[in-house]
Amino acid sequence: AEDLAMRTLGGAWKAFDGRAGPSALTEAIQKDLAVSSVEALPSLMVRGELPQPVIKQAVQCLFRIAREGDGLARRIVADTGARMGAAAAAAMRALVLRGSNAVVVLGGAMFQTAGHELLVEACTKRIRDTVSEAHVIVLDTQPVVGAVLFARDLVGHAPRGGSQIHVSISP
């Protein structure tokens, strides 16, 4: 998310100063982050990093403007998806995942949020362009479920007779 937020701010700046073509991202990011101009964007950083609320707003803005068809926003999302897909494909090659073992599960908010289909498509395309038999699945459960299952497995392997761990999930 932080990478996407930084690329969003950078893209808005490039559109503003002419290094990129005009983009709705420039005006939208100013409005969404409540800054008077693109030149105020660097002031949002704290010790060289963007605070989580700024990251969240910037990413939401990026995906909204991309869904509206803005070329720059769409390129940022598609390029990010392709880079993530390349990383997954590299891991698959390193692990020699082929045939029925060539399964990639995309999970987490970036892939599971409605409206992020362009990111999923770009990631999936890069994976399949590299590992043609890859089967890509978008996880349909919340990430916390995996954490609970992992914790259950840890408890199952924990030494007996020590303290007990109780896990409760509320909706």
Side-chain angles (χ1 to χ4, degrees):
E2 186 173 7
D3 179 57
L4 271 176
M6 292 297 285
R7 296 184 77 208
T8 300
L9 300 182
W13 191 288
K14 288 176 184 177
F16 171 76
D17 73 9
R19 288 179 284 158
S23 172
L25 201 52
T26 302
E27 185 177 322
I29 200 70
Q30 286 175 228
K31 181 181 176 203
D32 287 14
L33 296 180
V35 295
S36 58
S37 92
V38 172
E39 292 152 328
L41 292 176
S43 68
L44 298 173
M45 299 182 88
V46 177
R47 290 185 289 284
E49 295 180 7
L50 293 173
Q52 282 301 317
V54 172
I55 292 171
K56 184 177 180 181
Q57 271 305 116
V59 170
Q60 288 174 346
C61 177
L62 172 68
F63 279 102
R64 184 183 78 248
I65 299 302
R67 281 191 308 275
E68 292 174 5
D70 182 79
L72 177 59
R74 291 182 64 79
R75 282 191 305 277
I76 291 170
V77 172
D79 179 63
T80 300
R83 288 188 299 126
M84 294 171 94
M92 292 176 76
R93 284 193 312 268
L95 295 170
V96 193
L97 295 178
R98 294 285 185 197
S100 63
N101 290 327
V103 178
V104 177
V105 179
L106 305 177
M110 282 303 181
F111 292 114
Q112 292 178 268
T113 300
H116 291 199
E117 292 80 11
L118 179 59
L119 181 74
V120 173
E121 290 167 12
C123 184
T124 299
K125 181 180 182 328
R126 178 60 63 91
I127 291 168
R128 288 190 179 140
D129 284 352
T130 308
V131 182
S132 61
E133 68 266 29
H135 182 66
V136 181
I137 301 167
V138 178
L139 194 63
D140 63 356
T141 59
Q142 295 300 315
V144 71
V145 173
V148 170
L149 293 174
F150 181 63
R152 183 197 63 188
D153 289 349
L154 288 176
V155 170
H157 296 296
R160 301 286 181 211
S163 60
Q164 294 184 357
I165 299 174
H166 299 278
V167 177
S168 173
I169 301 176
S170 301

